[in-house]
Amino acid sequence: MMSQLWSKGIGLFRTLWRELAKFGVVGGMAFIIDSGIFIWLISGPMADSHVKSKAIAVAVATLFSWIGNRYWTFRHQRTKTRSRELVMFVVMNLIGLGIQSGCVAFSYYVLGLTSPQASFISGSVIGMILAMCFRFVAYKFWVFTGDEVSASAERSGSQQSPHMIADSDLVSPEAGPHPEPDTPHRSG
């Protein structure tokens, strides 16, 4: 039982490792943006408003994250409609914002840990880890779904996914180049 579960986990990791790595790079850069803005705000202009500071920092990092994930991490799963993707991205990040800000609020108001360091650890470490796990799953399955691309391919009569390579597209060194199709050429 455990070995089967382990094997399935390893198989899933092998399938997703590139996306996970890219997601991690974008997330790491977003973490730096988020943390820098948050520390600056709670150490200066918003010293007495830690929760609002966290919300602002997450909002700026979220914009960076959408651009990085849309055009790099999940570029092969983008939909044709940016507006749908952006709306879903914002919704999922609002949930992530709630997770991170909730960790700061719990630390600040419930546990009474009011120092900037405690707010940083609760929001930018604990909250970020929890929100990151949620965001990867949300981006993979609900935001960057490629539904519009797949739907338009089906409407055009193609049963093949736009991301798949057909066997006829592959050329083996022994087979040589593809023969020219028997279609008339336009001259003009």
Side-chain angles (χ1 to χ4, degrees):
M1 170 76 172
M2 288 303 287
S3 65
Q4 287 177 329
L5 187 59
W6 179 257
S7 296
K8 287 183 182 188
I10 294 295
L12 182 62
F13 177 77
R14 286 182 181 154
T15 302
L16 298 176
W17 77 270
R18 282 189 176 102
E19 282 181 353
L20 284 168
K22 289 177 180 181
F23 180 78
V25 169
V26 171
M29 293 173 72
F31 173 79
I32 291 168
I33 292 167
D34 177 355
S35 300
I37 292 171
F38 183 55
I39 289 170
W40 172 68
L41 289 173
I42 64 175
S43 299
M46 297 179 75
D48 58 342
S49 187
H50 290 204
V51 176
K52 288 178 188 172
S53 297
K54 187 64 193 170
I56 291 168
V58 169
V60 173
T62 296
L63 179 60
F64 168 81
S65 179
W66 179 68
I67 293 167
N69 283 304
R70 175 170 171 66
Y71 293 102
W72 189 45
T73 308
F74 299 105
R75 72 177 177 268
H76 60 282
Q77 289 180 239
R78 290 192 312 231
T79 62
K80 287 187 176 183
T81 358
R82 282 187 208 139
S83 57
R84 178 232 167 251
E85 244 176 39
L86 183 57
V87 167
M88 289 300 292
F89 192 86
V90 168
V91 167
M92 296 307 152
N93 276 282
L94 286 173
I95 295 169
L97 171 64
I99 292 168
Q100 288 184 265
S101 296
C103 288
V104 173
F106 182 80
S107 170
Y108 196 86
Y109 296 112
V110 176
L111 299 178
L113 303 171
T114 59
S115 72
Q117 296 83 4
S119 290
F120 178 80
I121 290 170
S122 63
S124 294
V125 177
I126 296 167
M128 179 74 79
I129 290 169
L130 295 173
M132 181 182 65
C133 294
F134 168 77
R135 285 180 178 126
F136 181 79
V137 171
Y139 297 170
K140 178 81 177 148
F141 296 107
W142 298 311
V143 177
F144 301 107
T145 61
D147 288 342
E148 286 295 318
V149 174
S150 299
S152 66
E154 287 177 20
R155 281 191 296 270
S156 68
S158 171
Q159 297 295 343
Q160 183 180 7
S161 168
H163 307 299
M164 294 177 62
I165 298 172
D167 291 338
S168 61
D169 293 336
L170 301 174
V171 177
S172 67
E174 298 83 28
H178 290 291
E180 289 296 319
D182 294 331
T183 57
H185 296 290
R186 289 190 208 181
S187 58

